[in-house]
């Protein structure tokens, strides 16, 4: 009886999930009803999927509204009707059009107008008027009284009870950015929009029984159906060429054509592996999937875009020959069945990373090539989180900012205790923030997923259009996969931009050097300079291997070969470390005798990692060979490690089978539990071996450039926004490699950082408060006039505000034409006055009145404080800015190797802090500092130290602690730490007075 029901996918209006709505209907013995969210189809697929579980036949439609004003409700008669309303809604969402008063002429859609609509007779055959329970008595006095065959019972369902209605009002206030007390009634639903039983509905419309019959007729003539689950074929693009036979011939010819590029002397093993893979890929119907990825890569290569194909796709020689990945699965003995096996129902997935600058063009190419009606970005649901909900509710309830800030510090897990302490509005805010938690707020764009569907995308969903101009679905990845739509993953990554830019910078700064073939990976594996960087963990700026944790692991392993780095890339993942197997792997890596501790089956299965599970496919191997599960069961176990599957019953079944089969095979219970603990510890965290190998290859490309062209490479890192660390560390690293660092210079610097020989000129874009328009104007005028002679010349030709000019002066951009910053600031004020108005460039330069300024004292350290304010960090040595710098008994990082077990005092400039927690939940830190010589200090801060000596922001710290060593990696176990104060302005003024006396 319900043709207008709302879930919480009526964003910032509805409050019930689709499952809650179904449960409510089941309680009321409702056996069919329509989900009609407001201008949204986000809940439709999960509603259709889940309805049969509740013995409910689903119907879907859309409640078309302008704001909260209902224009009409559209009910899809069938799948074709669903597609019609999806197309109509998408057009209006894309073009931001208002919904018209009258619906277009749909062929497979029922239209229900509100009773208040100003409509003239006659209505179309598929059009009706909906009568709300509150309007029943009005029918007899309306123009519709003699046209009851066109009337329907249309009770609206949005809530279960008063609390739902209260949440709804809060959502409406948030959406309208208004106080709850000022929310207009027109922006709210009715508190009577509840789901009633059939008998209650019949009673309400007892005097208009024809309306009940009409409504039942509509319900009985509607049907929607989709196939869900992996027992059905996928719904992705079926063929690339239009023919499965032509697809197979194309992929085979492209693979054979790729062999000479990949293998100089191909062995029979190569052809045998290729034939095996092609046979399985063809059997599973995945040929088109490979060809679509090949097409994307082919375009990228034609545009000279850098990319990395990673994930389990690297296990495939087909992917390697098609150049989708650069990982040789033969060399690494990668397990193809981890990627595709005959038990696999859903298509495999490649993760392809592009430079952050190139990804948008790749996305455009995919949409243009495969058709915008068949291509769409995947959406995700942005949901209310507890702390954010507290802030939003605090605002709409009118709490003062300081109270909102205080409430925002309360953690969700502490809500019960907080409710006992708070009262009044604060208590209500916390109560309802807890209930808002998890409710979708709006649609966002998935980080990488693109769908290419065989049928038009509107067959499944309406689409919205975010600012970048590529449409997104109304459902997320889980619903897409359940419906048989599997994503292509197109990601962006700054690391690839660093490689691409550094090659151009190297060529420009070293025009006589030979070109670098960045894909000649095997040459990089044997490079001695690269090996030295690896074994010593000197990889700052290099993709994936520059973090403190990875630097520590590389030093402990002292691995200087490809396979060692591949293993390290996965060993560092949280799960392996949590299970204790990272430490065990290091021990077995360094101490050959320790390898004998491995169980003989595990040692034989994983000889490269000495019997330690490191990669995702190790789970398949262990489950199949150690526990005796079938390959299909083993792959279900591997898939079950991801969060979205772990709660499913099928995963629990595999777990039971694992223990049962281990017992049957005679394994000791303790051993079985230990192995299962390893599997579960890195569930959802471990990489596939091919994924680790892909990361390792990109790391090697970066390491090679860093080893041979460190300055040029670091310039590219700076221009790509840094990496794991802030930009100032990469500037410091360049200085440590012999660069002279120059602050932005008015006549030399460009928008981005540049290098000339060994001199690095920082770009204007690192100046935080300098706006883009000012930079563009400066560079345009400089290109026209050649160079700026003095401040007056610049002001004459460039339209610039006083505030922007002061920033340039304080950061020292005019030092090549006038190093006296204080004099320049006086001039700027005199020339532009104290307003923020822009100067008006004139055709002729006017003569300015000259003023004689008294001598102005300048301490070079003042520049450091200007740099900290404007750039966020000092370009000069930060230790020179410290007041009363301690110098007695200070140990440098290079001296701690002889002081193992001893207490030392060190001075360190904070670079990075990693927060973590102990097993009992106490906070602890791992710190990275730079000492006065520019070397790293690695620190460990256990909970007592954290509580007594917390980190107090960026700056220089005095660190006292014990030197500890593990596997040749030295760090400081901190027992005391305090921040050392910088010089203040009073110190400069005293210095200035002394200078006057002396002169």
């Amino acid at each position: 009886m319900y043709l207008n029901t709302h879930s919480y996918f009526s964003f910032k209006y509805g409050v019930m999930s689709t499952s809650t709505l179904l449960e409510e209907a089941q309680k009321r013995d409702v056996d069919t009803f329509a989900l009609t969210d407001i201008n949204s189809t986000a809940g439709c697929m999960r509603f259709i999927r889940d309805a049969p579980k509740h013995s409910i036949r689903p119907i879907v439609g859309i409640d078309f509204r302008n704001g909260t004003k209902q224009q009409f409700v559209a009910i899809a008669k069938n799948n074709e009707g669903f597609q019609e309303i999806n197309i109509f809604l998408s057009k209006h969402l894309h073009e931001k059009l208002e919904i018209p008063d009258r619906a277009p002429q749909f062929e497979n859609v029922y239209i229900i107008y509100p009773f208040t609509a100003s409509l003239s007779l006659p209505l179309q055959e598929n059009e009706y008027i909906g009568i709300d329970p509150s309007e029943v008595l009005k029918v007899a006095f309306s123009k519709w009284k003699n046209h009851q065959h066109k009337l329907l019972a249309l009770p609206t369902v949005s809530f279960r009870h008063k609390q739902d209605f209260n949440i709804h009002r809060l959502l409406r206030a948030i959406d309208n950015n208004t106080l709850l007390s000022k929310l207009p009634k027109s922006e709210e639903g009715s508190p009577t929009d509840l789901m009633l039983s059939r008998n209650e509905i019949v009673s309400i419309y007892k005097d208009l029984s024809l309306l009940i019959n009409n409504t039942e007729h509509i319900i009985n003539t509607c049907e929607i159906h989709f196939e869900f689950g992996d027992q059905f074929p996928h719904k992705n693009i079926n063929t690339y060429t239009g023919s499965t036979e032509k697809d197979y011939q194309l992929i085979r010819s492209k693979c054979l054509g790729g062999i000479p590029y990949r293998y100089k002397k191909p062995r029979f093993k190569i052809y045998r592996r290729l034939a095996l893979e092609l046979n399985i890929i063809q059997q599973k119907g995945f040929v088109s999937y490979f060809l679509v990825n090949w097409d994307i890569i082919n375009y990228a290569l034609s545009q000279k875009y850098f990319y990395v194909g990673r994930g389990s796709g690297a296990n495939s020689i087909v992917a390697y020959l098609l150049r989708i990945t650069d990982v040789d699965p033969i060399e690494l003995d990668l397990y193809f069945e981890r990627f595709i096996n005959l038990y696999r129902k859903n298509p495999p997935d490649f993760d392809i990373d592009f430079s952050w600058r190139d990804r948008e063009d790749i996305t455009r190419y995919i949409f243009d090539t495969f058709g915008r009606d068949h291509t769409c970005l995947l959406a995700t649901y942005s949901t209310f989180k507890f702390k954010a909900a507290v802030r939003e509710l605090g605002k709409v309830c009118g709490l003062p900012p300081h109270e909102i800030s205080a409430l925002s510090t309360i953690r969700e897990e502490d809500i019960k205790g907080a409710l006992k302490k708070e009262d009044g509005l604060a208590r209500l805010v916390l109560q309802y923030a807890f209930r808002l938690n998890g409710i979708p707020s709006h649609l966002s764009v998935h980080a990488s997923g693109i769908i290419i569907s065989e049928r038009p995308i509107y067959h499944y969903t309406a689409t919205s259009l975010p600012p970048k101009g590529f449409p997104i679905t109304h459902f997320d990845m889980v619903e897409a996969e359940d419906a048989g739509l599997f994503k292509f993953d197109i990601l962006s990554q700054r690391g690839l931009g660093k490689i691409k830019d550094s090659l151009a910078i190297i060529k420009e700064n070293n025009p006589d050097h030979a070109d670098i073939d960045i894909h000649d990976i095997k040459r990089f594996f044997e490079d001695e300079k690269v090996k030295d960087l690896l074994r010593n963990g000197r990889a700052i700026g290099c993709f994936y291997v520059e973090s403190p944790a990875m630097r520590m692991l590389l030093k402990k392993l002292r691995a200087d070969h490809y396979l060692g780095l591949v293993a390290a890339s996965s060993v560092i993942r949280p799960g392996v470390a949590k299970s204790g197997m990272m430490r065990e792997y290091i021990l077995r890596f360094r101490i050959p005798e320790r390898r004998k501790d491995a169980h003989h089956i595990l040692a034989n299965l994983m000889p490269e990692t000495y019997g330690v599970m490191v990669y995702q496919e190790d789970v398949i191997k262990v489950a199949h060979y150690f526990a005796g599960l079938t390959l299909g069961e083993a792959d279900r176990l591997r898939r079950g490690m991801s969060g979205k599957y772990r709660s499913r019953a099928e995963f629990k079944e595999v777990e039971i089978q694992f223990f049962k089969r281990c017992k049957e095979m005679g394994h000791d219970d303790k051993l079985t539990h230990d192995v299962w603990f390893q599997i579960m510890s890195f569930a959802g965290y471990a990489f596939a071996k091919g994924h680790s190998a892909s990361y390792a290859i990109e790391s090697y490309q970066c390491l090679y450039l860093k080893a041979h062209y460190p300055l040029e490479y670091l310039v590219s890192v700076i221009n790509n926004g840094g990496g794991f660390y802030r930009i100032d560390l990469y500037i410091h690293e360049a200085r440590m490699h012999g660069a002279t660092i120059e602050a932005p210079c008015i006549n030399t610097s460009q928008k981005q950082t540049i290098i000339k020989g060994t001199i690095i000129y920082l770009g204007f874009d690192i100046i935080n408060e300098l706006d883009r328009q000012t930079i563009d104007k400066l560079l345009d005028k400089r290109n026209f006039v050649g160079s700026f002679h003095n401040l007056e010349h610049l002001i004459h030709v460039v339209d610039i505000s006083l505030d922007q000019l002061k920033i340039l002066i304080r950061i020292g951009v005019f030092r090549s034409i006038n190093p006296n910053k204080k004099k320049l600031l006086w001039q700027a004020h005199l020339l532009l006055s104290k307003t923020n108005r822009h100067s008006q460039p004139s055709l002729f330069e006017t003569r300015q009145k000259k003023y004689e300024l008294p001598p102005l004292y300048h301490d070079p350290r003042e520049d450091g404080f200007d740099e900290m304010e404007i750039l966020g960090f000092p370009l000069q040595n930060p230790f020179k800015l410290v007041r009363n710098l301690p110098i007695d008994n200070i140990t440098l990082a290079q001296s701690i190797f002889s002081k193992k077990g001893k207490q030392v005092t060190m001075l360190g400039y904070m670079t990075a802090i990693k927060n973590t927690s102990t097993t009992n939940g106490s906070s602890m830190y791992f710190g990275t500092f730079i000492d006065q010589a520019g070397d790293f200090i690695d620190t460990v801060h256990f909970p007592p130290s954290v509580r007594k000596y917390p980190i107090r922001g960026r700056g220089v710290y005095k660190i006292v602690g014990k030197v500890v060593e593990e596997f040749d990696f030295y760090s400081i176990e901190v027992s005391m730490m305090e921040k050392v104060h910088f010089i203040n302005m009073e110190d400069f003024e005293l210095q200035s007075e002394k200078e006057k006396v002396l002169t």
Side-chain angles (χ1 to χ4, degrees), residues 85-95 458 461-463:
I85 59 176
N86 284 336
I87 292 171
F88 179 74
L89 175 61
S90 300
K91 176 180 173 61
H92 284 75
L93 293 178
H94 290 202
E95 299 177 19
Y458 302 115
T461 177
T463 61

Side-chain angles (χ1 to χ4, degrees), residues 67-168:
T68 53
K69 182 178 182 292
Q70 187 181 75
Q71 299 296 96
F72 50 85
V73 176
I75 306 293
K77 295 181 183 179
N78 46 38
N79 288 62
E80 289 73 21
F82 187 48
Q83 182 167 319
E84 287 184 79
I85 59 176
N86 284 336
I87 292 171
F88 179 74
L89 175 61
S90 300
K91 176 180 173 61
H92 284 75
L93 293 178
H94 290 202
E95 299 177 19
K96 295 181 172 56
L97 302 173
E98 285 209 337
I99 305 298
D101 292 334
R102 292 296 293 261
Q105 186 59 54
F106 292 118
E107 292 185 15
N108 296 283
V109 179
Y110 291 115
I111 298 299
I112 309 169
Y113 295 102
F115 180 67
T116 54
S118 301
L119 298 175
S120 58
L121 290 167
L123 295 178
Q124 298 291 330
E125 184 181 348
N126 67 323
E127 294 181 326
Y128 294 85
I129 300 297
I131 307 300
D132 184 79
S134 64
E135 297 164 337
V136 167
L137 296 178
K138 299 177 183 178
V139 172
F141 304 99
S142 74
K143 64 182 178 183
W144 301 108
K145 65 180 179 180
N146 297 320
H147 302 278
Q148 290 189 26
H149 66 288
K150 279 294 182 180
L151 303 185
L152 300 174
L154 192 70
T156 297
V157 177
S158 302
F159 320 115
R160 289 166 297 174
H161 37 58
K162 180 67 184 300
Q163 190 176 83
D164 274 3
F165 181 68
N166 291 343
I167 294 171
H168 160 79

Side-chain angles (χ1 to χ4, degrees), residues 406-502:
L407 289 175
S408 297
T409 63
I410 297 170
R411 299 185 304 174
E412 185 182 348
E413 52 267 37
D414 298 331
I415 184 72
K416 288 183 179 178
L419 287 173
K420 291 176 183 177
K421 295 177 185 176
E422 303 290 347
D423 55 13
L425 272 179
R427 181 183 173 85
L428 286 172
V429 165
L430 291 176
Q431 281 180 327
Y432 280 99
F434 186 75
R435 290 182 171 85
L436 272 184
N437 193 25
I439 290 181
S441 167
H442 58 278
L443 292 174
S444 294
V445 184
H446 186 277
S448 61
I450 299 179
I451 288 173
I452 305 175
S453 168
E454 179 68 19
R455 304 189 69 152
I457 201 70
Y458 302 115
H459 178 73
Y460 304 95
T461 177
T463 61
S464 294
L465 194 67
K468 285 198 172 182
F470 300 113
I472 62 171
T473 61
H474 279 194
F475 49 63
D476 71 1
M477 181 182 76
V478 176
E479 276 90 57
E481 289 189 359
D482 279 345
L485 295 168
F486 295 90
K487 62 183 171 32
F488 293 78
D489 284 311
I490 306 298
L491 303 100
S492 70
Q493 188 205 110
R494 288 185 178 269
L496 294 168
K498 297 169 192 175
I499 294 171
K500 180 180 179 181
D501 291 353
S502 63

Side-chain angles (χ1 to χ4, degrees), residues 13 93 112 131 150 194 221 234 236 271 289 296 300 325 350 355 615 730 801 919 968 994:
Y13 188 100
L93 293 178
I112 309 169
I131 307 300
K150 279 294 182 180
L194 308 172
T221 53
H234 67 81
N236 287 12
Y271 293 97
Y289 185 84
I296 295 166
T325 77
F350 293 103
S355 164
Y615 308 113
Y730 302 105
S801 71
T919 52
D968 299 330
K994 290 178 185 176

Side-chain angles (χ1 to χ4, degrees), residues 475-541:
F475 49 63
D476 71 1
M477 181 182 76
V478 176
E479 276 90 57
E481 289 189 359
D482 279 345
L485 295 168
F486 295 90
K487 62 183 171 32
F488 293 78
D489 284 311
I490 306 298
L491 303 100
S492 70
Q493 188 205 110
R494 288 185 178 269
L496 294 168
K498 297 169 192 175
I499 294 171
K500 180 180 179 181
D501 291 353
S502 63
L503 290 171
I505 295 167
I506 289 165
K507 190 66 180 173
E508 185 176 349
N509 204 39
N510 306 272
D512 299 332
H513 289 208
D515 289 345
I516 300 168
D517 182 359
I518 203 65
H519 297 289
D520 189 5
I521 301 298
K522 292 180 181 177
R523 178 165 66 95
F524 302 163
F525 295 163
E526 303 305 319
D527 190 282
E528 290 301 323
K529 287 187 176 181
V530 172
K531 289 182 177 184
D532 182 65
L533 292 185
L534 262 180
R535 72 172 71 95
N536 291 293
R538 294 202 300 268
I540 298 300

